[in-house]
Each structure stands twice: as structure tokens, then as C-alpha cells.
DNA sequence: GACGCGTGGCC
DNA sequence: TGGCCAAGCGT
């Protein structure tokens, strides 16, 4: 840690920090009524929403979330499907590997947790597609536990209010985790409320481009605002390029396969992109990611077969009965 | 720690 | 218009 003013914020471990009450009160008044926040969503609904919300705006998640929960109301329902169905139902949310991982998580939950989304942070973290943030979010939002839930919204809110800078670092730092833990209310229920409230504040008021300080409940004690809103210093955030990349080609290929009822011949996939080397590389990538299944005769489809047996399964899969090839 | 990974809306 | 941004994860 370097000796920057940002590295030694004046915060105590006091359980009632000055930020808590105003932000939680603001949340009680202004929180959006989102389906995964309703009691009937349950842990599975919370978990599905968290997967979908990874890098994807709420407005685009809403309709797909409703379809998923109606079709697969429990983890076991999704686990019983072919992974390709999850990819298809993912639609155009983007980053379709999330669909595969969510399917894998449903299988793991069914195999090792009796079909119930686990409560423990460590068990959540062990599921495919669940990292530090999502494990904390599910434990906090679904089970009311006390965890530092450090997403891009909370990181920005803390950067501004507590640290006094416009933007957090590019990657989450140990200093940010320490700060978030120090600011966590002692009481479990209050901590869970704080997690949701601080995230919502970042999403609705303390936004990246144009923070609406006039509507901010903690504008009066925001370190960044009190310092005169100094502009961001340091390395610019790495912009994500897209046009002309493999990602764009993968997207086009997968769009064709999602819309197709059955298998698609190579000749049709060849029409989505002119450059053959990049096209082949993109298709290979999709196959090695398990998003696309190659068939004999140059046909491709969304994956119908389970990629790998679960290495964490508590019970061995009934010894590969010989003479029963997977279809 | 830096990359690769989709998609669409917004100013 | 096009860069920026949106509740990250895995390698």
C-alpha cells in the first residue's frame, strides 16, 4: 500500500457509522420493487438474479428472470435440463458462459446440497460461476447474513464517500475489502440491509457518469464532494473493445444456434462472418467452452450432453454402465 | 494482475 | 458517432 491520502480513510470499526442510518433510511423510501427482492423469490431466485446481473443491466434481466423462474422454479428443475436449454433461454443477456455455469451450479446444488441453495459462504463460493461478490450477495440477500458485499456500485460509493476519490481502482484491492469490512454494521440484519442499501445508492444516485448529489442522503458527509469533486487521477479504465473481435463473432455464431431448432450445418455458420480464420477460431472457442457441441458431418448444436462429471460429487455416479453411450 | 468474455442503451 | 457503462468470473 502506498502512502496516498486514499489509503488511510478516517473510519472506525464503530458499528453505527454515520453512513448507515441515512443510507438505509433512503433505501426504505426509494428501493426499487424488483422481483428477486420479494420474499417469494427465495434463495434460488436471488441466485439466478445475481448470475444474470453480472455485468448486465436490470432492465434487460427482468423479462428473462421471470421466464427462468417460471420454467425452472427450483435448482433441480434446471439441473434436469440439457445445458443447451439454459444457453438458449439465456437469450441475448450476453456472456452466455454464465448460463452454462448457472446450469452447472444447479447440478451441483442438486447433487451435493439436496437441492437447496447452500447457506455458507464457502459452499456458495465452491459453485461454478460464483465468486467472492456473488457468494457474499446470496448469503446476504437470501439468508440475511453479515458479509461485505463489494460490487462495482458499493466500491464507487465507498470510494467517494469514505475515500474521497471519484472512482475505485480498476481491480478490487485489499484496502477496499478492509474498508468495507470496517464499515459493516455489527448487527447481522442491519449489515444485510446496509449491503442492499449501499448497492442501490450506487445504482440509482451515486452513478458512474453523473452522480445526483442533490438526491444523495449522505452528500453532507461525502469526502469526495467535500473535497470539491476532484477528477479521477491515475490510469484510465481499460475500455472494452468489441467491434471486429472474436467476441462479436462468437455472439453471431451463438445467435444462429440459439434460434435453430436442431443442428446447424457448418455452411450456415459460415455466413455470419467473412474472415475464415477468425470464424474458425471463434467456433473452436465456443466448442472448447462447452457452449457448442460439434456433431458428425459438420453439424453443430447447443450442448445436449453434460460436459463433465462433477469432481466434487459426494457420491460417485453409478459406475459408467458400459454399453450405454451418452447421446 | 491482466485478459477474454456479449449485448444494448445512452449522451 | 462511438466510447462508456452495466449487481463479475475464471484463467
Amino acid at each position: 500500500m502506498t502512502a496516498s491520502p486514499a489509503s488511510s480513510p478516517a473510519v472506525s470499526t464503530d458499528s453505527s457509522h454515520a453512513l448507515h442510518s441515512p443510507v438505509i433510511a433512503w433505501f426504505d423510501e426509494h428501493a426499487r420493487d424488483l422481483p428477486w427482492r420479494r420474499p417469494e423469490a427465495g434463495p434460488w431466485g436471488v441466485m439466478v438474479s445475481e448470475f444474470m446481473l453480472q455485468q448486465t443491466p436490470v432492465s434487460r434481466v427482468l423479462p428473462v428472470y421471470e421466464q427462468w423462474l417460471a420454467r425452472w422454479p427450483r435448482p433441480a428443475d434446471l439441473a434436469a435440463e440439457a445445458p443447451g436449454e439454459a444457453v438458449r433461454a439465456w437469450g441475448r443477456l450476453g456472456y452466455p458462459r454464465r448460463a452454462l455455469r448457472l446450469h452447472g451450479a444447479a447440478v451441483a446444488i442438486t447433487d451435493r446440497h439436496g437441492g437447496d441453495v447452500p447457506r455458507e459462504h464457502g459452499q456458495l463460493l465452491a459453485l461454478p460461476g460464483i465468486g467472492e461478490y456473488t457468494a457474499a450477495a446470496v448469503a446476504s440477500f437470501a439468508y440475511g447474513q453479515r458479509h461485505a458485499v463489494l460490487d462495482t456500485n458499493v466500491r464507487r460509493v465507498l470510494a467517494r464517500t469514505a475515500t474521497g476519490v471519484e472512482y475505485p481502482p480498476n481491480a478490487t484491492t485489499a484496502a477496499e475489502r478492509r474498508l468495507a469490512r470496517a464499515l459493516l454494521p455489527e448487527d447481522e440484519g442491519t449489515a444485510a440491509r446496509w449491503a442492499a442499501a449501499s448497492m442501490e445508492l450506487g445504482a440509482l444516485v451515486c452513478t458512474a457518469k453523473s452522480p445526483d448529489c442533490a438526491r444523495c442522503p449522505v452528500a453532507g458527509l461525502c469526502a469526495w464532494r467535500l473535497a470539491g469533486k476532484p477528477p479521477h487521477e491515475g490510469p484510465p479504465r481499460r475500455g472494452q473493445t468489441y467491434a471486429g473481435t472474436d467476441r462479436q463473432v462468437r455472439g453471431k455464431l451463438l445467435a444462429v444456434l440459439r434460434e435453430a431448432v436442431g443442428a446447424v450445418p457448418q455452411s450456415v455458420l459460415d455466413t455470419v462472418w467473412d474472415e475464415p480464420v477468425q470464424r474458425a477460431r471463434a467456433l473452436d472457442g465456443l466448442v472448447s467452452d462447452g457452449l457448442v457441441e460439434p456433431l458428425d458431418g459438420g453439424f453443430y448444436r447447443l450442448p445436449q450432453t453434460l460436459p463433465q462429471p462433477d469432481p466434487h460429487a459426494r457420491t460417485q455416479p453409478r459406475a459408467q454402465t458400459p454399453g450405454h453411450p451418452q447421446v
Side-chain angles (χ1 to χ4, degrees):
Chain A
M1 231 184 340
T2 59
S4 73
S7 63
S8 51
V11 294
S12 69
T13 54
D14 191 333
S15 64
S16 60
H17 189 273
L19 286 170
H20 298 155
S21 290
V23 172
I24 291 174
W26 170 87
F27 183 67
D28 289 340
E29 179 77 10
H30 298 285
R32 290 167 293 181
D33 176 27
L34 300 170
W36 44 87
R37 286 181 179 162
R38 298 202 270 265
E40 60 267 30
W44 174 238
V46 170
M47 184 173 140
V48 169
S49 77
E50 290 302 335
F51 269 78
M52 292 183 172
L53 288 164
Q54 290 169 3
Q55 302 281 280
T56 304
V58 167
S59 61
R60 290 187 23 228
V61 165
L62 282 170
V64 183
Y65 171 87
E66 300 288 6
Q67 289 177 252
W68 271 61
L69 267 291
R71 182 172 176 183
W72 300 306
R74 299 162 304 174
D77 301 317
L78 177 58
E81 288 271 13
E85 282 309 296
V87 174
R88 197 189 308 278
W90 198 253
R92 306 188 67 81
L93 284 184
Y95 293 144
R97 292 188 295 191
R98 291 181 293 166
L100 226 42
R101 290 171 185 154
L102 180 50
H103 180 273
V107 170
I109 288 170
T110 305
D111 287 351
R112 5 194 251 255
H113 300 292
D116 294 320
V117 175
R119 310 179 69 92
E120 287 180 29
H121 184 275
Q123 293 182 319
L124 288 164
L125 201 53
L127 297 172
I130 294 194
E132 183 63 37
Y133 161 75
T134 304
V138 172
S140 179
F141 302 155
Y143 294 118
Q145 294 172 23
R146 183 176 181 271
H147 292 280
V149 181
L150 209 47
D151 80 319
T152 188
N153 290 305
V154 176
R155 294 180 62 215
R156 190 172 54 248
V157 167
L158 297 186
R160 290 176 180 166
T161 59
T163 312
V165 297
E166 185 175 18
Y167 295 118
N170 279 328
T172 307
T173 62
E176 286 182 273
R177 294 192 184 89
R178 212 176 308 121
L179 174 62
R181 279 198 304 271
L183 285 175
L184 210 51
E186 280 302 321
D187 175 70
E188 188 177 38
T190 308
R193 201 77 183 146
W194 159 252
S198 54
M199 190 174 309
E200 188 79 338
L201 185 67
L204 296 184
V205 173
C206 194
T207 59
K209 293 275 299 235
S210 53
D212 191 355
C213 301
R215 291 195 300 125
C216 180
V218 290
L221 48 77
C222 174
W224 179 57
R225 181 174 165 275
L226 292 174
K229 298 189 182 179
H232 179 70
E233 293 176 30
R237 351 217 324 135
R238 196 177 76 257
Q240 30 182 359
T241 56
Y242 183 66
T245 62
D246 287 6
R247 284 157 81 177
Q248 185 181 18
V249 184
R250 287 167 56 108
K252 287 177 176 294
L253 290 169
L254 208 56
V256 170
L257 291 162
R258 269 198 315 263
E259 301 311 314
V261 176
V264 172
Q266 169 98 50
S267 58
V268 170
L269 294 179
D270 286 349
T271 65
V272 309
W273 197 257
D274 282 337
E275 210 291 295
V277 173
Q278 187 178 27
R279 192 177 65 220
R281 186 173 63 233
L283 184 55
D284 283 351
L286 289 171
V287 170
S288 59
D289 283 349
L291 283 164
V292 171
E293 195 168 82
L295 302 174
D296 291 337
F299 282 79
Y300 295 87
R301 67 178 178 190
L302 297 183
Q304 292 301 119
T305 57
L306 277 48
Q308 300 294 332
D310 180 358
H312 297 288
R314 211 181 284 156
T315 56
Q316 290 302 320
R318 210 76 198 147
Q320 319 287 339
T321 43
H324 283 261
Q326 286 191 318
V327 178

